[in-house]
Amino acid sequence: MVWAAISCRGKATLRFIDPKSKVTAAYYIKEVLEPFIKKDLPRLYPDGDGIFHQDSTPAHAAKVTVDYLNSKKINFISKDQWMPNSPDAAPCDFFLWGYLKSKLRRKKIETLQALKNAIRTEFRKVPQELINRAMRAWPKRCRKIYYAKGKNIEV
């Protein structure tokens, strides 16, 4: 499993989840959020004007995670503000993961370490203009999902 963040200001560092780990809220905070907030957020949003979005998986939506984000004064879209069951909405879901998979299909990868290296390489090469296009499409996609009452959409 891999965690990624993209924005109109660039990409965060990829975070790989240990395959043997259970992703609890505590694990997510320590291994993903703390390094993201310490290293990536100041680089991407030095004025603190970014808005963080995560899906509603249990570790992301847990009270301890929400309390942690609030304690760090991170602006974020809460679980209650986000559409449930909306895989078409988030830019990582409708753009990034498919894009990376299409690039990785062309490679002969035989080990977990080789897979991680290939993901890192391809992630670094994602053109910022494609990310910007996905980010600009995000509000329109959310509206379409809203009018489709949460059902999948074709765009």
Side-chain angles (χ1 to χ4, degrees):
M1 195 179 328
V2 62
W3 180 93
I6 56 175
S7 80
C8 289
R9 295 191 184 171
K11 300 173 270 226
T13 305
L14 291 175
R15 307 268 178 331
F16 289 93
I17 308 305
D18 182 341
K20 297 175 191 134
S21 295
K22 179 164 174 52
V23 182
T24 63
Y27 180 94
Y28 178 62
I29 290 168
K30 183 176 188 301
E31 300 297 328
V32 176
L33 289 180
E34 283 181 0
F36 171 71
I37 290 168
K38 182 179 178 182
K39 297 175 184 173
D40 295 309
L41 213 49
R43 175 178 53 84
L44 297 170
Y45 292 92
D47 297 331
D49 57 343
I51 299 174
F52 183 59
H53 169 261
Q54 54 189 356
D55 62 24
S56 57
T57 61
H60 299 180
K63 182 178 181 336
V64 67
T65 303
V66 171
D67 290 347
Y68 175 80
L69 291 169
N70 284 326
S71 75
K72 297 295 182 181
K73 303 201 180 340
I74 305 298
N75 295 318
F76 66 98
I77 299 171
S78 74
K79 178 179 108 170
D80 296 333
Q81 296 168 316
W82 188 242
M83 299 167 284
N85 305 318
S86 53
D88 294 320
C92 283
D93 293 332
F94 74 78
F95 161 66
L96 182 64
W97 301 128
Y99 180 87
L100 288 175
K101 284 178 187 176
S102 73
K103 297 297 184 181
L104 294 170
R105 274 190 201 107
R106 302 175 187 160
K107 301 185 179 303
K108 184 175 177 173
I109 299 169
E110 297 180 358
T111 67
L112 180 58
Q113 190 56 51
L115 177 60
K116 287 179 180 181
N117 292 340
I119 292 170
R120 280 187 193 98
T121 298
E122 292 303 328
F123 184 65
R124 277 192 297 269
K125 292 174 14 182
V126 176
Q128 186 61 43
E129 179 48 40
L130 290 182
I131 292 170
N132 293 350
R133 194 177 313 155
M135 299 305 286
R136 285 191 302 268
W138 193 12
K140 180 180 178 183
R141 293 181 76 86
C142 289
R143 279 192 298 279
K144 284 186 173 209
I145 293 165
Y146 173 80
Y147 290 120
K149 297 184 169 63
K151 295 183 178 138
N152 286 349
I153 59 168
E154 294 294 324
V155 178

